[in-house]
Amino acid sequence: MDIIQAIKERRSINFFETGKSISKEKIRELLELANLSPSSMNLQPWRVVVVMEAERKKILRKCAFDQPKAEEASAVLIMIADPKGVEENLGQVLDSWQALGFIKPEMRDTYTGMVKNLYDTEDSLKRKLFAVKNTALFAMNIMLAAKGLGLETHPMDGFDEDCLKKEFNIPADKTIPMLITVGYLRQGITLLPRAFRRKIEDFVRFE
Ligand SMILES: Cc1cc2nc3c(=O)[nH]c(=O)nc-3n(C[C@H](O)[C@H](O)[C@H](O)COP(=O)(O)O)c2cc1C
């Protein structure tokens, strides 16, 4: 499937084939593809909890205001934005840039200073926005890559974040921008037509 087709055909699916599992290998393939997403300074400040076990999905549904798809989909990805991604990943990013010849060793301090200036301290709003925006880009690529792998998805922010953090052991400093359900369209379901989109003229200004 080409990218244009994937964009056109992706829909938020409410009715998943229940009891149809996805292998861990398939989920891994999906995440490997999405992991090619761009990120600020390549810092990749995201984490994912993949919920596949029936009992765990039941709990997840409870945290997601009882939305059935949270339990009926084959897997649910808890998308986690990690404000500490800067401190945790910067070393690896610089090592790889140095190894690839993108930067010289003496430039490491300059980049470290630049990152601190751009993304502030780990408890700041700026840092939270940094983590959330990059995780949202990663999430979008998960949904498009899923189409390419023959899977359907549904992004969800209808959930109690505290409940998810408690039940799935996610540290308080993280943010959960969304869940993504992943699975297969239930047999016999016909999707309603795609809902309206605003006209380009309503939100774009050319200068
Ligand atoms: C971040 C995000 C959160 C969403 N949360 C929910 C949700 O909790 N429950 C739900 O039924 N739909 C949710 N949606 C789906 C939207 O309603 C859907 O994307 C929109 O109506 C457009 O439909 P389409 O994705 O099929 O084009 C969410 C979408 C996004 C991007």
Side-chain angles (χ1 to χ4, degrees):
M1 178 180 284
D2 77 12
I3 188 70
I4 305 292
Q5 193 184 352
I7 291 170
K8 285 183 173 167
E9 291 185 9
R10 182 215 57 81
R11 295 291 306 278
S12 296
I13 298 302
N14 271 311
F15 302 99
F16 287 92
E17 195 65 80
T18 50
K20 190 160 175 180
S21 57
I22 298 182
S23 65
K24 275 192 188 162
E25 289 67 37
K26 192 90 170 167
I27 294 288
R28 182 175 281 278
E29 189 182 0
L30 175 63
L31 295 173
E32 293 276 10
L33 286 166
N35 206 29
L36 298 174
S37 299
S39 59
S40 310
M41 291 275 294
N42 203 20
L43 284 162
Q44 308 160 57
W46 48 70
R47 286 162 185 256
V48 183
V49 177
V50 183
V51 185
M52 303 175 86
E53 289 168 21
E55 284 311 306
R56 300 299 286 152
K57 283 194 288 181
K58 228 183 252 306
I59 293 168
L60 196 136
R61 174 176 173 167
K62 183 191 72 167
C63 294
F65 307 136
D66 202 33
Q67 295 190 66
K69 53 187 168 272
E71 187 179 359
E72 292 171 355
S74 308
V76 184
L77 312 182
I78 306 179
M79 304 302 300
I80 301 168
D82 185 1
K84 289 196 178 121
V86 172
E87 287 72 15
E88 284 166 10
N89 303 335
L90 182 60
Q92 287 186 75
V93 170
L94 294 177
D95 287 350
S96 101
W97 282 354
Q98 208 176 305
L100 292 165
F102 293 3
I103 60 165
K104 295 202 161 62
E106 57 271 25
M107 287 163 75
R108 289 179 76 106
D109 286 350
T110 310
Y111 274 98
T112 304
M114 207 161 88
V115 161
K116 281 203 176 115
N117 274 339
L118 272 174
Y119 308 126
D120 212 338
T121 52
E122 61 188 52
D123 56 351
S124 64
L125 175 62
K126 208 170 181 182
R127 182 66 74 87
K128 194 171 182 168
L129 293 173
F130 151 88
V132 169
K133 78 179 159 191
N134 284 293
T135 304
L137 291 172
F138 177 53
M140 188 66 242
N141 271 346
I142 288 177
M143 293 184 268
L144 291 178
K147 281 303 294 182
L149 294 175
L151 299 166
E152 301 294 345
T153 56
H154 196 128
M156 296 165 64
D157 58 12
F159 55 78
D160 176 342
E161 185 156 339
D162 290 338
C163 178
L164 282 180
K165 284 183 172 170
K166 178 171 166 279
E167 298 290 356
F168 293 89
N169 198 20
I170 297 163
D173 67 297
K174 314 299 178 216
T175 298
I176 304 174
M178 73 190 85
L179 304 174
I180 303 178
T181 56
V182 185
Y184 299 90
L185 180 64
R186 193 180 301 166
Q187 276 200 343
I189 293 289
T190 309
L191 296 182
L192 294 172
R194 194 194 279 280
F196 103 108
R197 290 301 196 265
R198 290 183 299 155
K199 292 196 192 74
I200 299 297
E201 301 75 57
D202 292 347
F203 60 91
V204 175
R205 188 176 74 205
F206 289 94
E207 290 199 4

